[in-house]
Amino acid sequence: GGELTGGAARGAYWLHKGLIRHGVDSKIFTNSKEHFGDPTVVSCVGSPVRRIRNIIRLKLDSLVYSVYRNRMNVTFSSGLFGLDITKTPLYEWADVIHLHWISGLVNIRQLSKIEKPVIWTMRDMWPMTGGCHYTLPGDCYRYREKCFRCPQLRGSWNFDVSTLVQQKKAKNLPKNLHVVGISSWLSECARGSKIFKQSRVSTISNCIDTDEFKPIQRDIARSLLDLPKDRKIVLAGAQHNSCNYKGFSYITKLQRALSSEGLFFVFFGNSNE
């Protein structure tokens, strides 16, 4: 789900390219308009009619939580209006189904119809929550037992959209499922969640293209990047540094606190600061 230019989709695409290089016949099914001219990327919005249908599905998803007028301005997805992928040609072609960031693309009520081995790589917390993509740090652990009165929706009812979405996910999990977290922390969250506590969970970090990214001699690297050779460097980055859950508020506090230590801070990603 989402454009292939997004962070989660890029991670999935890098993995896809790595699989192909290792001889795996891999294809990507997406609702992104961008396909990089890659014939192994199949979009479900390739025609005007399909694009309209995709827009309608996304609008319906947003309507689900639009009744919560005081909701936080964060991404929240129900996953109730996506496609039934078991009715697509690529489903028939595939031996293994690998789910990534599926909110807005796949209908979670149809997941139980998948009769093939399924890997679900979690690229955020959404697969185990009632609709939020990131829980509020230190404030919400409802995904471990029961989502209700979601603090991001700020509703007044105990039974809300988050309760319904979590129930639908738990009820419709694929039968042959292996869950993958892209970090040890995310995997531990999954093992402690209501939805995945009975599932097999492994940790596989994001892959990188080692033709582009590989270690070289430190002095040469610092010279090429015009970085100081005599100071310790702290590196931090994100696709969008302004996102509050990326932790850059802590980095700036750290920078101020350690200003006398002679550290050199390097940031990468899209940032206005």
Side-chain angles (χ1 to χ4, degrees), residues 95-124:
D95 297 311
V96 176
I97 306 299
H98 193 163
L99 306 176
H100 292 270
W101 206 87
I102 67 169
S103 59
L105 174 62
V106 178
N107 189 324
I108 58 173
R109 294 175 294 179
Q110 309 297 333
L111 289 177
S112 60
K113 294 169 61 177
I114 300 177
E115 297 181 349
K116 301 183 179 187
V118 178
I119 300 168
W120 194 345
T121 293
M122 299 181 298
R123 299 195 171 274
D124 59 19

Side-chain angles (χ1 to χ4, degrees), residues 80-182:
L80 299 174
F81 299 99
L83 294 169
D84 180 354
I85 60 171
T86 64
K87 295 181 178 180
T88 63
L90 273 187
Y91 174 80
E92 296 297 328
W93 167 85
D95 297 311
V96 176
I97 306 299
H98 193 163
L99 306 176
H100 292 270
W101 206 87
I102 67 169
S103 59
L105 174 62
V106 178
N107 189 324
I108 58 173
R109 294 175 294 179
Q110 309 297 333
L111 289 177
S112 60
K113 294 169 61 177
I114 300 177
E115 297 181 349
K116 301 183 179 187
V118 178
I119 300 168
W120 194 345
T121 293
M122 299 181 298
R123 299 195 171 274
D124 59 19
M125 298 184 74
W126 185 82
M128 69 186 93
T129 72
C132 70
H133 289 257
Y134 297 92
T135 62
L136 297 175
D139 185 49
C140 182
Y141 298 99
R142 291 173 173 85
Y143 68 92
R144 294 177 177 175
E145 295 298 333
K146 179 183 178 181
C147 286
F148 67 96
R149 196 178 291 181
C150 175
Q152 294 189 21
L153 295 179
R154 292 173 175 168
S156 57
W157 311 298
N158 278 341
F159 185 99
D160 60 10
V161 169
S162 69
T163 314
L164 174 65
V165 170
Q166 188 189 40
Q167 288 177 351
K168 293 296 182 184
K169 287 179 181 176
K171 180 181 178 181
N172 293 287
L173 283 183
K175 303 174 186 65
N176 187 359
L177 174 66
H178 196 123
V179 179
V180 172
I182 59 173

Side-chain angles (χ1 to χ4, degrees), residues 20 32 52 56 59 78 84 126 152 167 197 204:
I20 290 176
S32 171
I52 291 171
I56 291 173
K59 289 293 184 184
S78 75
D84 180 354
W126 185 82
Q152 294 189 21
Q167 288 177 351
K197 63 176 59 176
I204 303 176

Side-chain angles (χ1 to χ4, degrees), residues 18 38 43 55 62 91 93 155 176 199 203 206 221 241 260 267:
D38 188 336
S43 175
I55 291 171
S62 64
Y91 174 80
W93 167 85
N176 187 359
S199 300
T203 303
N206 276 327
N241 299 345
S260 62
F267 301 91

Side-chain angles (χ1 to χ4, degrees), residues 60-69 71 74-78 153 161:
L60 287 172
D61 194 281
S62 64
L63 283 174
V64 167
Y65 58 93
S66 64
V67 296
Y68 299 90
R69 299 185 181 278
R71 64 187 182 278
V74 294
T75 304
F76 194 98
S77 310
S78 75
L153 295 179
V161 169

